[in-house]
Amino acid sequence: MIRKIATVITIVLITACNQHTVVESGQQTIDSFLVQTSNQWNLIPRQFSTAGLPTWTVDGGSLNSLTFISEIKDGETLFPNTDKKKFDTFNKDMLPTELVELVESTLLLSYNAKVTNKGQLKPIKIGGSQGFDFEFEFVGDDEITRKAYVAAAIKNEQLHLILFQATKIHYYDELIDSVKYIVNTATIKS
Amino acid sequence: MKNFLIFLLCSVLSVSSHAYEFKRLTPDFSANYTPELSGTEAGLWMQMDEAEKNIKHSPLRINNDNLNVYLNSILCRLSEEYCADFRIYIIRNPYFNATMAPNGMMQIWSGLLLRARNEAQLATVIGHEIGHYLKQHSLKRFNDINAKSSFMSFLSLGIAGAVATGNLSADIGSAASDLTQLGLMASIFSYSRDNEREADQYGIQLLENAGLDNREAAKIWENLIAEKEAADEDISSGSVFFASHPDPGERIINLNNHANAINQAGKIFTNTNSGIYWQNIKPILPLLYQDELNLRQFKQSEYVFKSLLKDDISPGLTHFYLGELYRLNGEDEQQHLVKSHYQQSINYPDHPSEVYRSLGLIEYKSRNFSKAKEYFTSYLDKNPEANDKEMIEFYMNFGA
Ligand SMILES: [Zn+2]
């Protein structure tokens, strides 16, 4: 445990050195998403963000991060610049059950992680579009248990997705409400 | 083709091996051994004891009491005298590997459990690791100047070095865990070929103590070669074990020679203990299958799943996961196999409830909504607490 805390502190120190751009609370546009935030976030520079995608954090990317993935088209992988032979690709006819696999598999292969627990998969609306959300826990090489919350919808045959990842200890519970506020206020541009 | 060549080589060599007499190995030290407090070895043990404390509580450890008891029983039958000196940890890692630390901590990766076909094959690997321990191979490597200097540079790399191993995204920490550190150490301490040969020989010698069929020893390597060949893959790719161990073709020959020599001189044991092995693995088999599928190495996984099916291991479960494999692989010409494996699965009493969901999804996508609804109803009947219950009910209402 002590070593895990030490690891976390080290990561905080590392991330603290990066120049973060503040994302003020209020209305924000991120690619195809228009959202409202209830608190302040920081934009992680692309070279440190999840797969180079637009990603926000409150306390540092390894502790909590919120990634916006927009306009994934038929035949594309979820993360850009990933090997299509290895990574699952999106198909416009996929059902939520299959999209869960697409997201999980992308994360597992990217982090060399294992799923340790699965939460509920439910239908939700995202800005009038029929979508779904789900959560799961995973453990990567650093052996820290993280929790992911994913909200997604297919609009105009493209996949739009919000991905929240945080350590299971402390950070997930601390931020999940503000993440759900963002999802509940989100609209997807046509 | 390669298999055939190896087989030919083996048969040629086994004919000529009549003159060869098996030399029994003896341990370098007695049971209950602990190193002297001041030496390098004590330092090595202390490091390992520290790592072991964390591995005990790792979320990647498979904590199945019955399975742990069973694996320990194999270990104790192989080496009754030393069995109290070892601790076995089952680690969730879908690759084929096992490791032994100098303090007697042994790790068995879950990918090995899925690939051993019976107790005799698993015992071959456990015996091999016991062999490394009894002949103090890691200490011998450590005393090597080269190993020592790379160990020091490994220590100085610390966390900063480990971050560089990060994958796609830099934000999920890849800080060195104890498991990764041990992996690194294992590669630094990778035993010499002579050490490996000695461990193989020790392993096959120990099988006799457990009354297990030593002719199974070479088969585990034959299967691994066949699995890699099924995927048209180079034997060394993706496997830590192959990268750090000698050529499997050579091992097959040596193991068969040892087995023949032992069997010609004494009693031949024919026990493979396949039934008891799978009885103990079954509770974690869905996890092993799922982790294997998550590697997205379909050709290799197909070989493994089909091997289990051939041996009639959990046919209901195995058919289901074969269907899942073909579905996830997404090749058009395999799509007919998806449904057929699901349907074969439900013919067996050990089919998982998820097979009804998978069948329901196929019908739903083909817009056969009433049939889909039947399958979804079966799924929820058998699995009333399903975590995707609301989603399944949504599908059912949409079709209605
Ligand atoms: Zn070895």
Side-chain angles (χ1 to χ4, degrees):
Chain A
M1 192 60 213
I2 287 171
R3 74 169 293 122
K4 284 198 178 153
I5 291 167
T7 308
V8 166
I9 289 169
T10 314
I11 294 163
V12 172
L13 290 176
I14 292 169
T15 42
C17 308
N18 300 331
Q19 286 298 308
H20 284 184
T21 314
V22 171
V23 181
E24 298 292 351
S25 64
Q27 185 165 302
Q28 295 290 341
T29 306
I30 318 96
D31 295 340
S32 66
F33 286 102
L34 186 68
V35 302
Q36 299 285 333
T37 61
S38 56
N39 60 300
Q40 188 183 299
W41 292 76
N42 303 286
L43 178 69
I44 301 180
R46 291 232 170 187
Q47 66 267 36
F48 300 111
S49 77
T50 303
L53 292 160
T55 302
W56 299 351
T57 183
V58 172
D59 304 282
S62 64
L63 302 178
N64 45 62
S65 68
L66 185 66
T67 304
F68 297 88
I69 306 177
S70 296
E71 297 170 21
I72 300 295
K73 296 172 196 65
D74 204 89
E76 289 182 349
T77 53
L78 199 59
F79 288 173
N81 306 316
T82 45
D83 181 5
K84 283 190 187 175
K85 267 187 238 140
K86 188 83 183 165
F87 284 79
D88 289 6
T89 54
F90 169 66
N91 167 323
K92 62 180 168 49
D93 299 322
M94 276 178 161
L95 295 169
T97 307
E98 297 162 304
L99 292 163
V100 170
E101 291 174 330
L102 169 69
V103 177
E104 280 184 5
S105 167
T106 302
L107 259 60
L108 297 187
L109 286 172
S110 301
Y111 305 145
N112 188 28
K114 315 279 174 294
V115 171
T116 48
N117 205 2
K118 284 188 173 227
Q120 295 204 339
L121 165 65
K122 300 191 303 286
I124 58 163
K125 293 265 189 212
I126 301 181
S129 300
Q130 183 55 54
F132 58 95
D133 69 358
F134 63 98
E135 52 183 18
F136 64 99
E137 292 174 15
F138 63 98
V139 179
D141 275 340
D142 60 7
E143 287 178 67
I144 293 171
T145 305
R146 288 186 172 76
K147 229 167 145 172
Y149 169 80
V150 179
I154 294 177
K155 189 173 184 183
N156 306 326
E157 302 195 337
Q158 296 177 347
L159 177 66
H160 308 267
L161 189 144
I162 294 174
L163 163 66
F164 173 59
Q165 309 172 69
T167 58
K168 186 186 176 188
I169 292 177
H170 190 72
Y171 290 103
Y172 186 89
D173 289 341
E174 186 168 270
L175 287 172
I176 188 63
D177 285 346
S178 53
V179 169
K180 287 197 172 164
Y181 180 82
I182 289 172
V183 170
N184 290 336
T185 60
T187 51
I188 302 164
K189 290 186 266 178
S190 316
Chain B
M1 187 57 209
K2 258 189 236 157
N3 262 344
F4 182 64
L5 272 178
I6 286 159
F7 174 73
L8 266 183
L9 274 173
C10 296
S11 29
V12 170
L13 282 168
S14 57
V15 170
S16 65
S17 69
H18 281 288
Y20 158 67
E21 198 189 329
F22 187 81
K23 282 198 198 71
R24 276 176 198 279
L25 296 168
T26 49
D28 281 4
F29 50 85
S30 54
N32 297 318
Y33 171 83
T34 44
E36 277 175 49
L37 269 176
S38 55
T40 354
E41 197 187 1
L44 208 57
W45 278 52
M46 247 175 66
Q47 293 255 346
M48 292 301 161
D49 288 346
E50 257 329 287
E52 186 171 346
K53 272 184 210 153
N54 291 312
I55 283 162
K56 243 178 224 171
H57 301 108
S58 168
L60 296 177
R61 180 180 173 198
I62 297 179
N63 259 321
N64 180 303
D65 289 342
N66 289 336
L67 187 55
N68 269 310
V69 167
Y70 174 62
L71 294 187
N72 270 304
S73 82
I74 297 177
L75 203 126
C76 290
R77 277 179 282 143
L78 289 169
S79 175
E80 201 187 341
E81 196 186 339
Y82 288 83
C83 106
D85 295 344
F86 302 117
R87 281 92 45 218
I88 287 191
Y89 299 93
I90 311 165
I91 305 297
R92 236 180 115 182
N93 188 326
Y95 293 103
F96 177 99
N97 205 7
T99 64
M100 173 70 87
N103 67 342
M105 164 180 57
M106 185 172 176
Q107 290 183 37
I108 302 221
W109 290 10
S110 52
L112 163 60
L113 296 178
L114 188 63
R115 283 165 175 80
R117 302 284 169 78
N118 52 47
E119 187 181 293
Q121 292 189 9
L122 177 65
T124 300
V125 179
I126 295 179
H128 172 100
E129 300 303 332
I130 295 176
H132 280 312
Y133 177 83
L134 295 180
K135 298 307 278 182
Q136 289 193 296
H137 286 156
S138 42
L139 181 67
K140 284 171 189 163
R141 286 302 280 172
F142 190 75
N143 287 334
D144 229 53
I145 298 284
N146 280 334
K148 220 184 245 174
S149 61
S150 41
F151 181 65
M152 289 310 157
S153 59
F154 159 71
L155 282 184
S156 64
L157 275 177
I159 287 177
V163 168
T165 64
N167 238 318
L168 262 182
S169 92
D171 68 332
I172 292 285
S174 301
S177 66
D178 294 295
L179 285 176
T180 354
Q181 281 195 0
L182 282 174
L184 271 172
M185 266 192 226
S187 66
I188 288 165
F189 286 130
S190 69
Y191 304 117
S192 71
R193 277 167 178 266
D194 286 341
N195 289 163
E196 290 302 338
R197 285 193 195 103
E198 196 171 46
D200 270 353
Q201 189 181 341
Y202 224 134
I204 210 156
Q205 173 182 325
L206 293 174
L207 284 179
E208 215 175 356
N209 298 340
L212 290 167
D213 190 342
N214 57 19
R215 294 164 300 182
E216 289 296 312
K219 288 185 189 164
I220 197 158
W221 308 110
E222 288 167 13
N223 286 334
L224 282 177
I225 292 172
E227 179 190 329
K228 289 282 183 178
E229 280 180 352
D232 305 312
E233 251 195 69
D234 183 46
I235 191 81
S236 59
S237 70
S239 162
V240 185
F241 198 87
F242 279 134
S244 60
H245 282 71
D247 172 54
E250 182 209 302
R251 309 185 80 165
I252 290 171
I253 294 168
N254 288 338
L255 286 167
N256 278 328
N257 282 341
H258 290 320
N260 284 335
I262 292 173
N263 294 346
Q264 277 169 21
K267 185 171 184 279
I268 300 177
F269 293 100
T270 53
N271 285 340
T272 62
N273 290 2
S274 154
I276 185 104
Y277 178 77
W278 288 109
Q279 191 188 314
N280 279 284
I281 299 296
K282 262 173 201 171
I284 64 161
L285 197 52
L287 182 75
L288 302 187
Y289 276 146
Q290 193 57 57
D291 281 350
E292 175 66 30
L293 273 187
N294 285 340
L295 291 175
R296 299 292 193 261
Q297 48 170 31
F298 296 116
K299 283 181 176 170
Q300 277 175 252
S301 304
E302 182 189 25
Y303 177 85
V304 174
F305 292 7
K306 278 188 169 173
S307 303
L308 270 81
L309 201 57
K310 219 183 283 168
D311 288 356
D312 209 26
I313 309 302
S314 294
L317 192 72
T318 308
H319 273 298
F320 169 68
Y321 276 100
L322 264 169
E324 292 287 275
L325 183 151
Y326 293 123
R327 175 177 65 79
L328 288 166
N329 197 14
E331 302 272 350
D332 287 341
E333 64 270 27
Q334 290 176 338
Q335 286 319 294
H336 68 284
L337 292 172
V338 178
K339 201 169 169 179
S340 108
H341 278 292
Y342 291 153
Q343 273 161 347
Q344 290 179 77
S345 167
I346 50 176
N347 289 333
Y348 294 94
D350 66 324
H351 65 268
S353 60
E354 288 81 5
V355 70
Y356 295 101
R357 175 180 64 194
S358 293
L359 280 163
L361 291 169
I362 290 180
E363 299 302 341
Y364 183 87
K365 290 183 92 168
S366 313
R367 310 191 70 80
N368 299 326
F369 294 122
S370 67
K371 225 167 170 191
K373 201 167 178 174
E374 276 174 41
Y375 283 129
F376 286 147
T377 307
S378 296
Y379 169 63
L380 292 180
D381 280 351
K382 286 167 209 297
N383 209 346
E385 305 284 302
N387 53 21
D388 56 355
K389 187 176 182 205
E390 281 190 45
M391 198 73 238
I392 299 295
E393 283 168 348
F394 178 81
Y395 296 146
M396 289 165 80
N397 292 330
F398 182 80

